[in-house]
Amino acid sequence: MANTDLMYAVIGAALLVGSLLPRLLRGRVLSAPIIVVGVGMLIGWLMPSESQLVDVIEHAELAERMAEVTVIVALFGVGLALDRPLSFRGWTSTWRLLAIGMPLSIAGVAVLGWWALGVTPAVAVLLGAVLAPTDPVLASDVQVEGPGTGEEADDEHDEARFALTSEAGLNDALAFPFVYLAIFLATKGAPSEWIWTWLAWDLVGKTLIGAVVGWVIGRLVGAALYRVRIGDSRLVGFADPAAAVATLLLAYGAGELVGGWGFLAVFCAALGVRSAERADEKHARAHEFVEYTEHVLTLLVLLVIGASFISDAVFRLEWSHAAVAVGVLFVIRPLTAWIALIGDSRLRSPERLFVSAFGVRGVGSLFYLCYAMEYFSKDDGWSLWPAVSLVIVASIVLHGAASSPAVSWLDRHRGREQAT
């Protein structure tokens, strides 16, 4: 009981400090996620060696639910933050990163995992899918800050930030078909027996259903809030910002119930709400509420990741796991994103370099690995968790420390271009 009480006290203190740090540390090398992961490591180090409380593979369902809630809240916040209307031409950088960069990245990580870790092809593909999503929360320093109103909307003028934000909003959902590709490889026998079903339904069908359901729900909610009047006031004037959480839960539940990808439904619901009334200041209030909610949830998940890394994953680490982490962060993500953005006229070379370097990994990777444990053995999970957790922790530290200097470098480059 005493250990449990101490854990509550430490977690509460960490969350309190973490809630104050983002604004205090803005523009500095040390970020709130770095500190909270460090506190999580301290918790893991203080726990008895026989404790399995923070073994995320042993408690995969609990870790999955924690990560799931955090991701859906984050996705709605990202969707609200985007000022740019959804279009093929306006989102060219995003489509390139998703259609070219993401499959190349998954394939590259799968090959690296198969070679370095000696796992089966199914587990290797799972590793590629698990490490595909870029985090919409942990990369906030290099993403758009929030919804603008009219002339304040600025993502049109910062293509690099827009590309990273929209990519993070969509690839958290679009990694799901590839997780199922790994599951089918492990459970359904020869690919010739199911590959066309996977292509038609899991890759295309469920993606379209999730996108359409989310967009329709968001559009309807947005139309009701911003166009329905009670007396002289619009309905949105009576809505608490918590209505945003209600909308994201509705979109996620409905998207899953009708067979679509729920994560995609949540993101598209946020885009639908913005499309109903793009410049209203109430969007900023809703986004701020969602941002605070996702921040607390993310800090809690980061505590779990840090504690699990120190108390469990560190003792399983081998050179092969380090090779995977280095390959993902310094070779595969930068190279595949750069290839995807070649020929994109919206991005100059320094901006392509910036986007390629900041593929932050985080909560989504934890979710997908724990989700897959329903279909894979715990031994498979324990073989991957050291590499996955090392990638997450290294990404939080490296990208968190580099984000402010990188943004300053990019701003200076733009200033020199404008001066000439």
Side-chain angles (χ1 to χ4, degrees), residues 290-314:
V290 171
E291 188 176 42
Y292 283 141
T293 303
E294 75 186 29
H295 182 67
V296 173
L297 292 171
T298 301
L299 293 179
L300 186 59
V301 174
L302 291 182
L303 285 174
V304 172
I305 291 174
S308 180
F309 178 71
I310 285 297
S311 66
D312 177 46
V314 160

Side-chain angles (χ1 to χ4, degrees), residues 86 170 210-212 214-216 218-219 263-273:
L86 182 65
L170 283 166
V212 171
W215 175 266
V216 170
R219 185 75 184 188
F263 283 174
L264 185 59
V266 171
F267 180 73
C268 290
L271 297 181
V273 170

Side-chain angles (χ1 to χ4, degrees), residues 11-228:
I11 290 174
L15 291 176
L16 178 61
V17 173
S19 67
L20 300 173
L21 287 177
R23 286 183 172 81
L24 294 175
L25 297 176
R26 184 174 292 276
R28 300 180 184 274
V29 170
L30 199 62
S31 67
I34 294 175
I35 292 177
V36 173
V37 164
V39 173
M41 291 181 182
L42 178 62
I43 294 173
W45 181 66
L46 292 173
M47 283 185 172
S49 58
E50 68 274 9
S51 174
Q52 292 184 326
L53 186 61
V54 288
D55 184 338
V56 297
I57 302 302
E58 187 68 38
H59 303 283
E61 185 174 359
L62 176 60
E64 176 194 339
R65 295 308 173 197
M66 291 176 60
E68 179 181 38
V69 173
T70 304
V71 170
I72 62 175
V73 173
L75 290 176
F76 196 79
V78 168
L80 286 180
L82 295 172
D83 295 319
R84 190 179 305 182
L86 182 65
S87 68
F88 182 79
R89 185 183 297 272
W91 288 49
T92 301
S93 302
T94 311
W95 306 138
R96 285 173 170 269
L97 288 169
L98 294 172
I100 302 173
M102 186 175 173
L104 286 177
S105 176
I106 292 172
V109 174
V111 171
L112 178 60
W114 174 73
W115 171 77
L117 301 181
V119 295
T120 65
V123 176
V125 172
L126 176 63
L127 178 65
V130 163
L131 292 176
T134 55
D135 199 283
V137 182
L138 300 175
S140 58
D141 288 343
V142 293
Q143 295 178 351
V144 299
E145 294 184 357
T149 56
E151 294 180 355
E152 297 176 9
D154 63 356
D155 66 23
E156 286 287 351
H157 308 293
D158 197 335
E159 186 66 25
R161 283 179 177 267
F162 174 81
L164 285 169
T165 308
S166 54
E167 179 198 16
L170 283 166
N171 69 9
D172 262 310
L174 297 181
F176 241 129
F178 297 95
V179 171
Y180 268 89
L181 177 62
I183 291 171
F184 288 175
L185 282 170
T187 61
K188 287 185 175 292
S192 59
E193 298 177 3
W194 50 262
I195 190 66
W196 294 110
T197 301
W198 175 81
L199 284 169
W201 176 240
D202 295 275
L203 185 61
V204 178
K206 298 185 76 170
T207 299
L208 290 175
I209 291 172
V212 171
V213 169
W215 175 266
V216 170
I217 289 175
R219 185 75 184 188
L220 291 176
V221 170
L225 290 176
Y226 291 101
R227 297 180 186 178
V228 174

